[in-house]
């Protein structure tokens, strides 16, 4: 809430303005991540909250997950072998494999 900026201003005698900085590239990147996460959840609802973790580790689509195996997914923190197999089974069921 600006307390650190006010304190620093008092200590230094300088006026300090805090500004949020987001480049156009950063906005575009965040938008693509959000879109990939939403697309993954809508195509395979069983993935649920794990979608953002999967996208963050490069699994951007259902097709990408079809190529994955349990060992690939267990490299993601908080996804154990059981959950990895559930995700793979859900993706394969949706794809008809």
């Amino acid at each position: 809430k600006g307390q650190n900026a006010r304190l620093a201003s008092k200590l230094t005698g300088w006026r300090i303005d805090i500004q949020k900085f987001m480049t156009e590239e950063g906005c575009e990147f965040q938008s693509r991540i959000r879109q990939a996460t939403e697309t993954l959840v809508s195509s395979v609802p069983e993935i649920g909250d794990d979608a953002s973790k999967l996208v963050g580790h490069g699994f951007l689509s259902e097709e990408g997950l079809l190529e994955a195996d349990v060992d690939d997914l267990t490299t993601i923190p908080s996804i154990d072998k059981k959950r990895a197999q559930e995700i793979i089974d859900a993706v394969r069921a949706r794809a008809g494999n």
Side-chain angles (χ1 to χ4, degrees):
K1 296 183 182 180
Q3 291 175 344
N4 289 338
R6 285 192 299 276
L7 176 60
S9 180
K10 286 181 184 179
L11 292 172
T12 62
W14 291 27
R15 179 173 174 226
I16 299 174
D17 290 327
I18 306 298
Q19 298 178 352
K20 184 176 180 181
F21 179 74
M22 178 67 84
T23 65
E24 193 171 307
E25 278 182 8
C27 289
E28 177 73 18
F29 178 74
Q30 291 298 328
S31 176
R32 287 184 178 184
I33 294 293
R34 187 172 34 261
Q35 182 179 14
T37 302
E38 290 169 1
T39 300
L40 202 52
V41 170
S42 67
S43 64
V44 188
E46 297 85 355
I47 290 175
D49 294 338
D50 290 324
S52 61
K53 294 174 200 166
L54 292 164
V55 169
H57 282 81
F59 297 99
L60 305 177
S61 66
E62 186 176 352
E63 292 79 20
L65 285 169
L66 282 171
E67 298 297 320
D69 61 24
V70 171
D71 291 334
D72 295 328
L73 299 186
T74 56
T75 62
I76 301 170
S78 78
I79 295 184
D80 60 14
K81 286 188 178 199
K82 180 182 177 202
R83 180 64 180 138
Q85 190 62 57
E86 290 170 355
I87 291 169
I88 289 171
D89 290 345
V91 171
R92 287 180 179 158
R94 293 274 175 188
N97 292 337

